[in-house]
Amino acid sequence: MTQPAYVPKIVLITGATGGFGNAFARRFAALGSKLILTGRDMGKLKDLAASLNTPCHLLQFDVRDRPAVEAALASLPADWAAIDLLINNAGLALGQDPAQKSNIDDWVTMIDTNDKALAVITGLILPGMVDRRHGHIINISSTAASYPYPGGHVYCASKAFVTQFSLALRADLIGTGVRVTSVEPGMVQTDFSLVRFKGDAERAAKVYADTVPLTADDVAESVVWVATLSPHFNVNRVEIMPTTQGPGALGVHRAPKG
Ligand code: NDP
Ligand code: 8X3
């Protein structure tokens, strides 16, 4: 294996208790990065940290709870505060019914989690990176940002925000030395669908039935690639999907005349 051009010393991962977060933690631990693992479930964070052979600092918060996020980040000891890589990964889809039949509370939860929280955490960590003239923010978006699908409505829109926010950050950060990347995966088998279908394991399993989805580790490979490039090299967007997936045709309503 060739040596990476660069390895971030301190990596903060949101949603470290989930499929992607876990895979990111394992990959960066293997590279020797120190990890700030954040999540809602301290038990899961402790189990993950115990399985990793690298120093970990654990922060428990719901990303939507701004005072809790602010307090947690402010509590970082000096030797953990200079974050080199922020991975904004915590997120979710809720439901896939048509928009007109959807639960508006689910919409609000997706926007609060996928967008508002991501912007707040970025806003809290970014000034330090700019001061240090060094850092990288990797936002986990989705193919849903570019390819809308039936029942995707707010989830697709929330991920379009993530992609566009990432690109707009790039515009502001020229000359600061801070990198930003939007990583946009398609179908990846994790608990994502179980969460989307609110614990309906049978419906979640159907999403991945008889096909070969990507794995969280495949996504981690992409994230590690962009994060370990030489600091002069910014990947703006990475769009990945399983070989078994591809864009579909636009929908057409047909009603025979007469
Ligand atoms: P998981 O459900 O396995 O993980 C989601 C993670 O986000 C969990 O750690 C979860 O924590 C955390 N999270 C959700 N809401 C909150 C919250 N309010 N506060 C703190 N943490 C929260 O799914 P994935 O690993 O697949 O998803 C990770 C990201 O990747 C998401 O942003 C998702 O939208 C995106 N994505 C997923 C794809 C897929 O097909 N799997 C494809 C493209 C993008 P908790 O366990 O406490 O709920
Ligand atoms: C998750 C992928 O296709 O379910 O972001 O929206 S998809």
Side-chain angles (χ1 to χ4, degrees):
M1 203 174 89
T2 51
Q3 283 296 99
Y6 163 79
V7 174
K9 288 192 186 67
I10 301 182
V11 180
L12 187 150
I13 303 169
T14 69
T17 55
F20 286 18
N22 213 280
F24 301 156
R26 293 187 187 290
R27 286 289 189 114
F28 284 103
L31 284 171
S33 304
K34 287 168 49 174
L35 303 178
I36 303 171
L37 303 174
T38 83
R40 291 188 283 199
D41 183 331
M42 187 47 102
K44 281 190 188 172
L45 290 176
K46 282 184 177 165
D47 287 348
L48 175 58
S51 73
L52 300 173
N53 192 20
T54 197
C56 294
H57 188 90
L58 310 182
L59 296 177
Q60 183 181 22
F61 54 77
D62 183 316
V63 292
R64 295 168 297 172
D65 183 345
R66 183 170 167 180
V69 173
E70 288 178 346
L73 294 178
S75 77
L76 283 172
D79 56 339
W80 283 92
I83 295 162
D84 297 298
L85 171 61
L86 163 64
I87 308 179
N88 276 316
N89 164 68
L92 78 174
L94 288 173
Q96 203 179 339
D97 290 332
Q100 62 276 21
K101 292 186 179 165
S102 290
N103 178 331
I104 296 175
D105 289 337
D106 287 347
W107 285 8
V108 171
T109 301
M110 286 188 273
I111 295 166
D112 284 352
T113 310
N114 299 354
D115 301 333
K116 282 169 71 178
L118 180 143
V120 165
I121 293 170
T122 300
L124 291 169
I125 292 175
L126 181 59
M129 289 182 171
V130 172
D131 286 348
R132 293 187 294 278
R133 299 195 63 73
H134 170 81
H136 194 168
I137 297 169
I138 297 181
N139 291 324
I140 304 302
S141 179
S142 167
T143 49
S146 304
Y147 309 104
Y149 56 83
H153 40 76
V154 169
Y155 181 70
C156 294
S158 75
K159 290 301 187 179
F161 173 96
V162 175
T163 293
Q164 207 50 229
F165 181 54
S166 307
L167 294 173
L169 285 172
R170 288 280 298 126
D172 286 345
L173 293 170
I174 295 171
T176 65
V178 178
R179 299 192 276 187
V180 184
T181 305
S182 170
V183 173
E184 301 163 15
M187 181 196 286
V188 190
Q189 188 159 9
T190 63
D191 281 346
F192 175 84
S193 294
L194 194 63
V195 172
R196 173 171 237 170
F197 301 126
K198 302 180 179 175
D200 183 339
E202 205 178 328
R203 193 168 173 201
K206 280 188 186 146
V207 174
Y208 312 109
D210 304 322
T211 192
V212 184
L214 290 180
T215 65
D217 207 48
D218 294 328
V219 182
E221 186 152 340
S222 304
V223 165
V224 165
W225 173 63
V226 301
T228 57
L229 293 167
S230 168
H232 77 279
F233 185 165
N234 192 97
V235 178
N236 297 341
R237 299 175 73 170
V238 180
E239 183 184 292
I240 56 173
M241 53 177 69
T243 309
T244 53
Q245 191 180 31
L250 293 176
V252 177
H253 172 70
R254 298 181 197 279
K257 292 195 181 77

